[in-house]
Amino acid sequence: MIRNDSDCTDFTDFTILVDDPNIDTDIDPFIICSDNTTEPFDYNTVIDSIVPNASSFNVTYHLTQIDAQDGLNPQSSMVTATTTEEFYFIRVVDPTGILCDYVLNTSVFVANPPAIATPVDLFLCDDDFDGFLNVALTDQNNEILNGLDPLLHQVTFYESAADRTAGQNALSNSFTTTQNPQRIYVRVTETSTSCFNDVDYQITVRPRPVLQSQDDIIVCVDAVVPTTISVAAGFDFYEWNTGEMGATTNSININQPGDYTVTVTNNFGCESSLTITALPSDVATIDEIITQDFRSGDNTAQFIVSGPGDYEFSVDNGPFQDSNFFNGLYKGFHTVRIRDKNGCGTITEEFAVLDYERFFTPNGDGFHDFWTLDGLTDYPNAIVFIYDRYGKLLHQMAPDGIGWDGTFINAPMPSSTYWFTIKIDGKPLVKGYFALKR
């Protein structure tokens, strides 16, 4: 400090304190969630949440910022909130004078809970016969929101009312039921106000028809007598992929192979489908008969057949066998029967085995008077030549002739061994010999 009337001076010191409470004076609105349009609200019930240690200060409420700043026209802490946002100003004064005064800006209004709808209970069909089902819960959102903007509202699902109240264990969109029936608890929250409304609904999983699986069946191709296929009776409706349908059409008649699918509906409206496969069968087609001839009674025959059936074979009315090969066949004509094991028919065909007599006795007694080859008539172009032991041609025998009578130019040939050759189209040349006995 300097005197004006002299050059004398003196010094002292002091402290200046600047109060900076770092207080945010803009307070979020107080929202009262209510079905009413007005609600009483007492700021004293929330003052401790916005002014720490509020009891240590002088707190007054004002309708304007100027009144709050000047400490004029204090109001009651009790106000009436409406659906229109109303602003209030709170003056906070430190009675000790240590802290600076400040004014808080706040507001209050009533927000109604979202006007949602209770969805209808769901009755769904089981998918795998276990009584439980995976459900997309959000499929109910449109019905629940009842026209509310889904961008402004959050829909949350819970398995119990307690979880909904606590706001815990929210269910995901894809939920598999854990009991039947299952009640689902729903909370819809308006995101801007956090006001919510609750509803619940029930999911009931209804059983599907149980159809016993069936083995494949056999159907004769173009069968005259149809085959009946069926599933269990007693359901409400049957529809076959053949177009046949009705409340009692649990069976149909078929005459062609194929896949036959029936869709069955029970009294809950739930469906199950079953496919019955009808495999084809038919009489055989003989493609070829392969014989091994001229084996002295041990001739063989093999029957090559085609067709969709399962076949068995019989020769000369013998027992049926699975093998298509037969041996021990004598010369001459035989009859083969080829039967479809599934009952679709039997075909019969005659075939010839070529062989020859090892001797003959042309003595006119009516027995073995001619040397012949049975079955040769099946080969009209065959040529048979008979020679003596020196190679002299004695006789040329036609396939349809009665055979060789043992003569040459009407003269009887002596007892001896004679040779022959047989030429048949499609077969190797056969040579052999036989005896003539007098």
Side-chain angles (χ1 to χ4, degrees), residues 99-312:
L99 301 177
C100 295
D101 303 343
Y102 59 89
V103 175
L104 301 176
N105 305 319
T106 185
S107 64
V108 63
F109 65 92
V110 173
N112 298 135
I116 60 176
T118 300
V120 298
D121 291 337
L122 294 181
F123 297 90
L124 305 175
C125 295
D126 196 2
D127 59 347
D128 56 5
F129 305 100
D130 65 353
F132 305 105
L133 189 66
N134 184 269
V135 182
L137 298 178
T138 53
D139 287 349
Q140 295 289 83
N141 281 11
N142 286 340
E143 186 176 354
I144 294 170
L145 289 174
N146 194 29
L148 296 176
D149 190 341
L151 299 178
L152 304 179
H153 297 82
Q154 181 181 13
V155 183
T156 313
F157 301 90
Y158 300 90
E159 197 169 354
S160 70
D163 281 348
R164 181 176 63 184
T165 300
Q168 64 184 14
N169 301 323
L171 301 176
S172 64
N173 169 42
S174 180
F175 171 68
T176 300
T177 57
T178 58
Q179 52 188 303
N180 192 18
Q182 176 101 48
R183 186 155 291 277
I184 300 296
Y185 298 86
V186 187
R187 172 160 291 180
V188 178
T189 304
E190 187 177 19
T191 53
S192 63
T193 65
S194 296
C195 294
F196 61 84
N197 208 345
D198 295 337
V199 292
D200 58 79
Y201 65 95
Q202 185 167 277
I203 299 174
T204 300
V205 179
R206 288 176 162 172
R208 296 169 56 196
V210 178
L211 300 175
Q212 296 296 326
S213 61
Q214 298 188 23
D215 294 333
D216 295 344
I217 63 171
I218 300 296
V219 173
C220 300
V221 176
D222 298 320
V224 176
V225 178
T227 298
T228 300
I229 58 175
S230 64
V231 294
F235 294 108
D236 277 23
F237 198 76
Y238 302 84
E239 183 174 359
W240 296 83
N241 62 346
T242 58
E244 297 163 276
M245 63 182 72
T248 59
T249 316
N250 68 304
S251 64
I252 61 173
N253 292 326
I254 63 173
N255 58 9
Q256 291 293 331
D259 288 336
Y260 294 88
T261 300
V262 60
T263 300
V264 178
T265 305
N266 62 15
N267 59 323
F268 295 120
C270 296
E271 297 180 347
S272 290
S273 294
L274 178 70
T275 297
I276 301 171
T277 298
L279 300 176
S281 194
D282 200 2
V283 293
T285 297
I286 299 177
D287 298 321
E288 186 178 4
I289 299 177
I290 302 173
T291 59
Q292 290 182 314
D293 306 297
F294 306 107
R295 298 181 58 172
S296 302
D298 192 25
N299 305 295
T300 66
Q302 185 177 19
F303 306 96
I304 308 302
V305 300
S306 59
D310 184 14
Y311 304 112
E312 55 187 1

